[in-house]
Amino acid sequence: MRKTTAITLGVLVLAAAACSNESNEEISHCVDDDGVVVADDSVCDPGYNPVIVPGGIVHHYRWYYGGYRAPQAPGTRLFGGGFVRRPGAVYVTPRVYTTRRISVPQSDGVGHSGPSIDHGGFGGEGHSFGGGGG
Amino acid sequence: MIRHTKPVRANWQSIVEGQGLTYHTVDGQPYYDESVYYEFNAKQIDQIEADTNEIHRINLEAVQNVIDNHRYDELQIPEVAIPLIEWTWNNETPAVYGRYDLHYDGKNPSKMLENNGDTPTGLIEAAVIQWFWLEECFKGKDQFNSIHERLIAKWKELVAYLLLGPLHLTHMDSNEDYMNVKYMEEVASQAGLKTKCLPIEEIGWDKIDQCFLDEDLSVIRNIFKLYPWEWLLKDRYAANMAATMKNTYWIEPAWKMILSNKGILPILWELNPGHPNLLPAYFNQNCLNEYVKKPLFSREGANIEIVAGDASIKTLGKYGTGKYIYQQYCAPPNFDGNYPVIGSWVIDGESAGIGIRESNTLVTGNFSRFVPHLFN
């Protein structure tokens, strides 16, 4: 036999279960023709769509459903979700998601304080692309 | 090599979700598609295995050639990366896995299409999901897939080589990246390692002690990432990585930048002209009439152009601003309009199993379907 004899899973099953518990609620992002998150999600409102800019160029903005565990910054190209709503899912916009998180009391912030500690030096380039795997 | 269709399991979505594949459906269409499977015979599997080992051997030789001859400019590898590449290569810092994408038609030797040695995904599907599918649907049949066992074995071996402290694993926000990292945490923890997962944005830098920290202010000394080297080296902490390269093991190591760079393809052809497992490739169009034009840095089929008569096609993406390579076009095997590409996994330097991505277009992209396989 050339295959693995037995597989037992623990960490992965827990992570999947955690995703499932959260799975009724997912994030929807407003994206442009290239699937890139736009800053003003009101352009995804049917009343604004499509947007015709001077020169007659037509831009279509659409809601992109799921694929991410947290809101993605404007300019991020999205993968792994889709333009079809998942049956049973409840979608929230990044603005709603973020507002709600901020209103929840946070933990003591250990690890994020102190003048000698800097954060956020990784991940910036990745936000232009959405995901690093291939 | 035969393509079969088969009814899917009634509750396949919840089955695979329970096994870790939470991203099985994209745009309402299955990304994991068990309505199809491929059947091989043992001779074909032997061929893929031998081809993969040979391809990996010549790829490592090509890496050595790039380093010995300082060919970094040809690959557009930035200056800041060179000490990292050379340190990790010369000191053999931990490297675990990689995936070669192969053209294979069941008759002729496999041809290397490209390598993803730095941030390969599709791991859960290949290692776990198709294994459970086989156990449930074709008990007693074989599959070329010892990925799970070999990953655990590799991490066990690394216990003695890793630096003091836990193995950190870092991910981006996408579900696919997150679950692939959690799977790597799974096999590392089964190997006996203490593990900690964190988002890449949460990695901190201690300006006094000059080291990377996690969210609990623990020093990061061994870190598995699913974030490409070329992005790390454009981020603000790039210089810090070079400064701490002897105190922090990044897995996969920096020399994988060479292996996952499409510029390795012309170098391979230059070093091994006429090799049966390679397609002719050049840094310019050269004498190729039908070719695939690929950016040096590209993922998931983005910014690819195929020039081949009626088969010509061009994909969009954000990777198109740099140098390109040209690889001879080789029509993929066509199963009623479905084009499979073999993803051949290498773990600890050896061929360890395959996963198949099937597309309805000539370019295997982000939305190509993963389909299981078996062999007799």
Side-chain angles (χ1 to χ4, degrees):
Chain A
M1 297 295 271
R2 307 278 277 281
K3 68 180 175 64
T4 295
T5 314
I7 294 181
T8 53
L9 300 172
V11 173
L12 191 64
V13 171
L14 289 175
C19 287
S20 296
N21 290 338
E22 297 164 359
S23 67
N24 273 346
E25 185 173 289
E26 295 190 7
I27 300 167
S28 55
H29 293 87
C30 180
V31 300
D32 65 14
D33 311 273
D34 296 324
V36 173
V37 178
V38 296
D40 177 10
D41 62 16
S42 65
V43 293
C44 274
D45 186 319
Y48 285 82
N49 231 339
V51 175
I52 302 172
V53 298
I57 299 166
V58 180
H59 290 296
H60 293 275
Y61 297 93
R62 293 187 286 173
W63 288 107
Y64 187 92
Y65 299 106
Y68 291 85
R69 299 163 47 76
Q72 300 299 291
T76 304
R77 187 157 189 261
L78 302 186
F79 295 101
F83 294 105
V84 177
R85 297 172 74 98
R86 190 170 59 78
V90 175
Y91 290 96
V92 295
T93 63
R95 200 169 351 131
V96 170
Y97 182 96
T98 308
T99 306
R100 204 173 49 204
R101 292 288 149 127
I102 289 169
S103 67
V104 174
Q106 299 296 299
S107 59
D108 62 4
V110 164
H112 294 265
S113 57
S116 74
I117 312 296
D118 178 58
H119 277 89
F122 285 131
E125 183 68 13
H127 282 299
S128 309
F129 294 90
Chain B
M1 184 178 179
I2 305 166
R3 183 181 191 269
H4 296 278
T5 56
K6 170 188 171 302
V8 299
R9 290 170 287 179
N11 51 346
W12 69 269
Q13 292 98 331
S14 57
I15 292 171
V16 301
E17 279 173 24
Q19 295 160 355
L21 191 69
T22 57
Y23 47 94
H24 52 70
T25 302
V26 175
D27 267 348
Q29 300 297 315
Y31 155 69
Y32 166 72
D33 183 4
E34 63 176 43
S35 72
V36 170
Y37 70 94
Y38 282 84
E39 179 185 351
F40 298 88
N41 61 41
K43 196 175 164 193
Q44 290 167 333
I45 293 297
D46 288 346
Q47 168 104 60
I48 293 170
E49 182 181 34
D51 290 343
T52 302
N53 286 328
E54 169 63 5
I55 287 167
H56 189 58
R57 184 188 70 76
I58 59 176
N59 269 266
L60 295 182
E61 282 181 0
V63 172
Q64 187 72 62
N65 179 276
V66 169
I67 291 172
D68 288 348
N69 298 291
H70 224 68
R71 300 178 71 170
Y72 302 109
D73 277 353
E74 289 175 73
L75 306 182
Q76 293 193 326
I77 290 176
E79 199 73 25
V80 65
I82 297 171
L84 282 157
I85 288 172
E86 296 188 351
W87 163 262
T88 54
W89 178 257
N90 292 329
N91 291 280
E92 297 185 37
T93 64
V96 175
Y97 74 149
R99 194 193 72 230
Y100 290 94
D101 288 343
L102 307 179
H103 172 289
Y104 183 66
D105 61 8
K107 302 181 195 87
N108 298 296
S110 325
K111 305 278 188 193
M112 175 184 167
L113 297 173
E114 56 192 52
N115 169 270
N116 195 330
D118 185 16
T119 59
T121 51
L123 187 58
I124 299 173
E125 301 89 301
V128 175
I129 304 301
Q130 67 172 348
W131 186 90
F132 279 113
W133 166 85
L134 189 79
E135 287 293 293
E136 187 173 333
C137 301
F138 293 96
K139 185 87 179 158
K141 293 271 188 184
D142 209 349
Q143 188 174 76
F144 183 29
N145 174 18
S146 59
I147 300 167
H148 185 80
E149 276 179 356
R150 287 180 186 238
L151 283 171
I152 294 171
K154 180 60 185 173
W155 284 114
K156 274 185 183 165
E157 181 198 313
L158 288 177
V159 168
Y161 294 95
L162 292 176
L163 301 170
L164 186 67
L167 172 71
H168 287 83
L169 302 100
T170 188
H171 56 83
M172 290 188 68
D173 285 333
S174 91
N175 287 339
E176 183 182 3
D177 284 14
Y178 176 72
M179 292 307 293
N180 272 267
V181 165
K182 292 304 282 186
Y183 177 61
M184 199 54 96
E185 184 181 19
E186 170 83 67
V187 285
S189 60
Q190 286 193 30
L193 286 161
K194 189 179 173 202
T195 58
K196 283 178 96 172
C197 244
L198 78 166
I200 192 148
E201 296 87 352
E202 294 298 325
I203 295 174
W205 173 251
D206 186 330
K207 289 181 266 189
I208 294 173
D209 289 338
Q210 297 284 295
C211 58
F212 290 108
L213 301 175
D214 67 16
E215 296 143 306
D216 303 319
L217 299 186
S218 299
V219 178
I220 295 173
R221 294 194 179 88
N222 312 288
I223 180 161
F224 173 86
K225 68 185 183 54
L226 206 56
Y227 189 84
W229 271 101
E230 64 265 25
W231 296 358
L232 285 171
L233 294 174
K234 284 182 181 167
D235 279 339
R236 193 158 54 81
Y237 287 162
N240 303 344
M241 296 184 75
T244 56
M245 66 185 176
K246 295 178 186 174
N247 310 321
T248 311
Y249 286 161
W250 291 82
I251 304 166
E252 295 296 303
W255 63 263
K256 289 291 188 89
M257 282 187 82
I258 299 174
L259 212 53
S260 60
N261 187 303
K262 304 294 186 294
I264 199 77
L265 295 167
I267 292 173
L268 278 164
W269 187 249
E270 172 199 311
L271 298 174
N272 306 274
H275 193 289
N277 298 125
L278 296 176
L279 293 165
Y282 306 95
F283 283 109
N284 52 52
Q285 190 186 330
N286 210 308
C287 53
L288 297 175
N289 293 321
E290 295 193 331
Y291 57 85
V292 183
K293 182 181 170 189
K294 303 176 179 181
L296 291 187
F297 305 101
S298 159
R299 287 186 167 71
E300 297 285 7
N303 298 101
I304 302 290
E305 183 177 2
I306 296 177
V307 175
D310 292 343
S312 297
I313 187 174
K314 195 173 185 176
T315 64
L316 301 173
K318 293 188 80 174
Y319 294 94
T321 56
K323 196 170 164 182
Y324 286 80
I325 65 99
Y326 299 76
Q327 185 181 43
Q328 182 181 293
Y329 174 70
C330 182
N334 182 347
F335 294 85
D336 298 325
N338 299 287
Y339 305 102
V341 167
I342 308 286
S344 191
W345 291 89
V346 170
I347 295 164
D348 195 17
E350 288 184 357
S351 174
I354 60 172
I356 299 171
R357 295 284 296 277
E358 194 183 67
S359 309
N360 295 115
T361 65
L362 295 170
V363 178
T364 301
N366 211 29
F367 301 121
S368 302
R369 305 172 298 277
F370 182 94
V371 299
H373 81 278
L374 55 79
F375 78 90
N376 294 301

